Amino acid sequence: MKKNKLLILIFLFLFFIFSADCLYAASEIAEFLCDIGISYYKSGRYDYAIREFKKVLIIEPNNPTAKEYIDLILKQEAQPQTVSSEKIVFESPVEPERRSLIIQDALDKFSRVEQQKLAGSQIPAVAPAVVTQETKEEELKLEKKAKVSGIKLSGEVQMGVGLIDDDAVWKRANFDLNEKNWRMLSDAAFNRRENTYDPAIFDRLRVIVEDKPETGFGFHTNITLDPWSFTGKSDKVTVTSAWGDKVDVQLKYWSNTGYTIGEIVNTNLTGNSISIPELKVKDDKIGPITIPGAFSNAWGQHDQFTIPELKIHRQFQPLRELWVDYKQEDLSFKVFPLAYQDQAFTSDDPLRISNNHIWWEDSPWIRRWKPGNYNSWAIPTDFTKGYWDNSLSFFSRDSDGTCLTSLRGFSFNLQPVDKPSLAFTVATPQDLWQDYAEVDNVISALRVKTRASKNLGLGATYTGRVGFNLNKSDQTDARSHTGAVDLRYEIMEGVLSSLEVAHSESKYDLTTSQYKSSKRGNAYYFSLVGRYPPETIIDLEYGYDQIKPEKSEDFLMKYRAFGSHMDEGFDPAVSSYRNTRRDAFWSRHLHFRKPLESYFAGLYFPSLKWEDINSCRIGNGIDIGYDTIGLRVESIWVNKVENLFDIRNVHRVDGKYVETISRDEFTWYITDKLTSKLLGIYQDMPHTKAGIDPFIYSTKTSEFLYNSSILDGKDPSLKTGSLGLEYVFREWLSLNGVWEHTNDYCLAYDKFPSGVLNDSLLGTTYTSYGNIYRTDSAWLYDQYLFPLPPYSYYDIYKLGLRLTPIEKMQIYLDYTRNEFESAGQIDDNMNHIGLEIAYYITNKFGFYNRYTYSRWQDLDRLRNGITKPRGHHNFFSELRYTPSQDDELVLQYGISGRQLFTTVTTDPFGGGLSSIDTQHITRLFYRRKF
């Protein structure tokens, strides 16, 4: 039976290949435009060549010839290496009208050439090197036609089916399965321990109707039918436990898994909690289930909570985005009844007190207010404080990684030339299971800027957030206000100083008078940013990160020195600093492969740019309750030498030393063929405190977790030295190698797998101003399984061999030997050998195969005392057929780091594995854009 189903899938794949081939002749047109672009390139007309290759990528986004020549041109024109063919094309999305006009224009030219060939005319082998006035006028007409306002219809269709364990599956998807957290220790529901992954099997119809004129009224509507459009929830019931405690339960269901979501719910009387598992829904019902409470009595007994049978009331929510806007030359206004988190206001003040967060994190704007609770049966009585809760907003994502919590609100922008500008946004979040009329918090943000003189800019920012207690007649339960003023002064050309002073006041749990609390605090920031050769930088939108060499510059040095202070009481409720303060784990290693390209292929490309990720790969140390000073100096000799030096020193505001982290990254292009890289990191840390982990902290409280294995007075400082070389023997053959000597067992692996062994309990109490409060107690366990401070040194050896034996084929062989044998599959530092082969047989048809043999100290075996690494085999294969620039057919077997589409969940350089063992899953997808 399984073989028959597999044959059906293969038959469908081949049927679509041969039936869709006649749908569109875009590849022939692309080849025709490539010939024109190559002729321009050979004659030195690089600007005209790029224009033609851009057309090719508009018609056929994955055309390798166009990408190759664009990259060659950029190198010859001394562009910075962060610029690529992908960036050129996808920085400015192409309207459907413009795409069709370009295709039609190319078809006309192609037809004229073919007619001349039939007539026996002599056609030059390459296009003429001179662009005529007629050609320029044609392009101007195309540009003008593409800008004509009108209602535009676009969207996508996806159909997917899979075979898993001899069963045909039409719908199974959950982005959270990609997260290597507690699921690695569980077999429940779809959890497969170290082989847990998102199957991402689902159908989708997305229709976008919009009118986006340059001026006047416009609108945008996104209607999406996919499994996340079908949700449900039970009635809210109060369950009484065996010991008389009570808990409010409302089960939340979504169609992508057919299960309810897992939640931890606090009880009403004692402060106990229950962990509701993911429950299978059958006939719109959940059967009765008994769940133990987290607390136990002196005899080790747990309270028991029996949830009765509950009916799931299904909901259909196809509308994802809806807004109406109005634009003038210097003014815009937008009302968005439903929108994604990208409508949150991100302030450009130095401290970014609105919407600061790392790229993979949910926006603080889409979090709910969770009111506090009076635990009247606790002995003595205590109170659990309210907080801004991201448990649903972070978790609720589709398989693209898109956060599905919506924003409802409006925004206003006034930006007249050479006059003060104003930007204002008001919004409230709505999660997937929240009624539209329900509002638990409202956010507002205002930013005013003006240019006092040519080299002096002034700004002011305000953010406010109000939370409501829905259990107490929607009374105001929380208020938070933050105000800041900043200035930018360009002392001399190329030297910019910035200063910001901020103040916040917050009041929480206002509906419980005895336990209401308040916070008040200030924050200060000063920086000096410069570049040499000098050039005005006060107008750069992204500041330091936007400073790059100009085409005419062979050398650039830029620097940034800063100091910041945030009181412990400073509380900007719409910004989060706890993840931007630290280094991304993959930034602590050397890489030779290009980022992002391993994750995306075919119709879709990353919505994230490398600049978005690169800007926060090195942490800045800034957080609430910390004093930080830092210095960064980057020097670039184009195509010769690049060097980045960064150092930051962090103390708590009470003077306690936190860390000093310094790094130097050096790249030397020794010859046209040989490139060397050096990386050195030194993280100086204070000696350990017994029972407190030196690195892993709560992103909710910023407090470091309990770790009973940590002894007192040990040195946890980290040092890393790494050397890498890459030699390009021929255009078709290159070899790279990396040697890393380090004692970093934690930060360089994103705390994986040691951080998986954690737990928390809402059970610790403390006293403040005469009141007793209950808070989370989070800890790590079984950490003796991993090295402890002082950390010993070990070595990592990595090799990568790239072969391009024929055009459109690439073979990559990589090998890693890591003496730290617990390093897991989160990136390519796991002990492994891998072989991948990618080949586009034609412009329409290609395949990708990846085999990885890895060795790992499996976490379950390690906890059972088995330290010997075990071997794992992973095979993944993908066939991809793209009959036109608008549709594709994809057949996949297995699970690897490369998915049909995904956000970057682990290593953006593509070294991670979603599963370390071969998964016998076959998936067939057809996707079409329109």
Side-chain angles (χ1 to χ4, degrees), residues 12 190 321 416 551 699 851 921 924:
L12 287 173
F190 299 123
E321 294 178 286
K551 290 184 179 181
T699 55
Y851 169 75
I921 172 175
L924 177 65

Side-chain angles (χ1 to χ4, degrees), residues 333-337 343 365 408-412 424-428:
F333 180 86
K334 179 182 290 186
V335 178
F336 45 94
Q343 296 302 315
W365 278 62
R408 303 161 287 178
F410 67 90
S411 61
F412 175 81
F424 179 58
T425 301
V426 176
T428 178

Side-chain angles (χ1 to χ4, degrees), residues 329-332 413-423 449:
E329 186 175 353
D330 55 3
L331 179 148
S332 65
N413 286 275
L414 178 65
Q415 294 182 326
V417 179
D418 297 329
K419 292 182 180 180
S421 64
L422 181 148
K449 295 190 296 183

Side-chain angles (χ1 to χ4, degrees), residues 153-296:
L153 177 67
S154 61
E156 63 177 290
V157 176
Q158 173 176 304
M159 294 179 287
V161 62
L163 288 178
I164 305 177
D165 300 329
D166 202 25
D167 291 325
V169 176
W170 299 94
K171 181 179 61 177
R172 186 175 297 176
N174 185 0
F175 181 84
D176 190 62
L177 291 167
N178 290 316
E179 300 294 331
K180 300 299 182 191
N181 46 30
W182 58 272
R183 295 186 183 278
M184 285 205 66
L185 307 175
S186 169
D187 286 318
F190 299 123
N191 302 327
R192 299 292 182 268
R193 299 187 183 274
E194 65 269 14
N195 290 318
T196 297
Y197 62 93
D198 180 8
I201 301 172
F202 63 93
D203 296 336
R204 170 180 284 164
L205 170 62
R206 175 172 289 153
V207 179
I208 297 175
V209 183
E210 60 185 358
D211 184 8
K212 299 174 66 176
E214 293 185 354
T215 59
F217 284 100
F219 69 90
H220 174 94
T221 304
N222 176 353
I223 299 173
T224 300
L225 278 71
D226 62 17
W228 294 273
S229 305
F230 299 87
T231 59
K233 59 185 178 182
S234 70
D235 293 327
K236 192 173 185 179
V237 297
T238 300
V239 175
T240 301
S241 73
W243 297 350
D245 199 359
K246 297 180 183 298
V247 63
D248 296 326
V249 174
Q250 186 173 46
L251 301 179
K252 301 177 179 67
Y253 162 85
W254 52 3
S255 178
N256 49 297
T257 64
Y259 282 68
T260 62
I261 68 171
E263 286 188 283
I264 296 176
V265 183
N266 299 328
T267 66
N268 299 340
L269 303 177
T270 66
N272 201 351
S273 63
I274 62 172
S275 180
I276 302 176
E278 295 170 315
L279 302 172
K280 180 68 175 175
V281 176
K282 295 181 180 179
D283 300 324
D284 293 340
K285 294 180 181 179
I286 299 289
I289 181 174
T290 299
I291 303 174
F295 296 167
S296 62

Side-chain angles (χ1 to χ4, degrees), residues 97-98 101-102 105 133-148:
E97 284 82 359
R98 172 151 173 74
L101 287 169
I102 288 172
D105 182 63
Q133 184 65 30
E134 180 184 357
T135 306
K136 292 181 179 179
E137 290 176 357
E138 287 181 4
E139 295 231 342
L140 288 173
K141 289 179 182 178
L142 285 172
E143 293 285 349
K144 187 175 181 180
K145 289 179 181 179
K147 293 180 180 179
V148 174

Side-chain angles (χ1 to χ4, degrees), residues 759-861:
D759 206 344
S760 64
L761 182 67
L762 190 67
T764 303
T765 59
Y766 67 95
T767 302
S768 177
Y769 296 101
N771 291 324
I772 301 175
Y773 293 94
R774 185 178 298 269
T775 187
D776 284 332
S777 176
W779 67 89
L780 298 161
Y781 59 89
D782 288 353
Q783 296 299 301
Y784 65 88
L785 300 173
F786 309 100
L788 298 169
Y791 299 106
S792 59
Y793 288 90
Y794 65 97
D795 293 302
I796 306 174
Y797 305 93
K798 295 193 287 187
L799 287 174
L801 177 67
R802 179 187 61 82
L803 289 166
T804 310
I806 58 176
E807 188 180 2
K808 300 177 183 179
M809 172 182 277
Q810 179 170 296
I811 301 172
Y812 194 80
L813 177 68
D814 62 310
Y815 167 80
T816 296
R817 171 66 182 116
N818 190 338
E819 294 178 346
F820 176 43
E821 295 181 318
S822 292
Q825 69 265 34
I826 196 167
D827 63 8
D828 65 352
N829 288 288
M830 185 183 200
N831 279 297
H832 78 281
I833 184 168
L835 172 66
E836 64 183 61
I837 303 174
Y839 180 35
Y840 260 85
I841 302 172
T842 70
N843 288 335
K844 296 181 179 181
F845 181 74
F847 67 84
Y848 172 89
N849 290 332
R850 170 81 184 180
Y851 169 75
T852 304
Y853 173 73
S854 59
R855 293 185 62 81
W856 189 43
Q857 290 179 327
D858 296 21
L859 200 53
D860 277 343
R861 287 161 52 91

Side-chain angles (χ1 to χ4, degrees), residues 44 310 346 351 374 448 482 508 510 604 755 766 815 870:
L310 293 174
T346 302
L351 285 172
Y374 175 56
V448 179
T482 304
Y508 297 121
L510 298 175
Y604 296 92
Y766 67 95
Y815 167 80
R870 186 172 64 171

Side-chain angles (χ1 to χ4, degrees), residues 403-519:
C403 289
L404 297 176
T405 299
S406 302
L407 279 177
R408 303 161 287 178
F410 67 90
S411 61
F412 175 81
N413 286 275
L414 178 65
Q415 294 182 326
V417 179
D418 297 329
K419 292 182 180 180
S421 64
L422 181 148
F424 179 58
T425 301
V426 176
T428 178
Q430 180 201 10
D431 66 47
L432 283 178
W433 299 275
Q434 192 173 7
D435 294 335
Y436 190 83
E438 183 180 294
V439 175
D440 62 66
N441 73 100
V442 176
I443 308 139
S444 59
L446 171 70
R447 174 77 170 152
V448 179
K449 295 190 296 183
T450 187
R451 180 66 67 84
S453 65
K454 182 180 178 180
N455 58 346
L456 175 63
L458 303 175
T461 311
Y462 165 80
T463 66
R465 191 166 199 166
V466 180
F468 306 104
N469 191 330
L470 303 182
N471 298 321
K472 295 186 177 181
S473 304
D474 296 346
Q475 295 181 56
T476 298
D477 198 42
R479 289 195 188 97
S480 179
H481 305 279
T482 304
V485 293
D486 62 276
L487 64 84
R488 295 168 297 146
Y489 180 66
E490 193 156 18
I491 303 171
M492 61 181 69
E493 189 177 50
V495 181
L496 177 68
S497 61
S498 299
L499 173 68
E500 182 170 21
V501 179
H503 175 76
S504 74
E505 293 188 8
S506 302
K507 294 182 179 181
Y508 297 121
D509 301 308
L510 298 175
T511 58
T512 310
S513 58
Q514 179 183 349
Y515 293 98
K516 64 182 179 182
S517 61
S518 62
K519 289 183 179 182

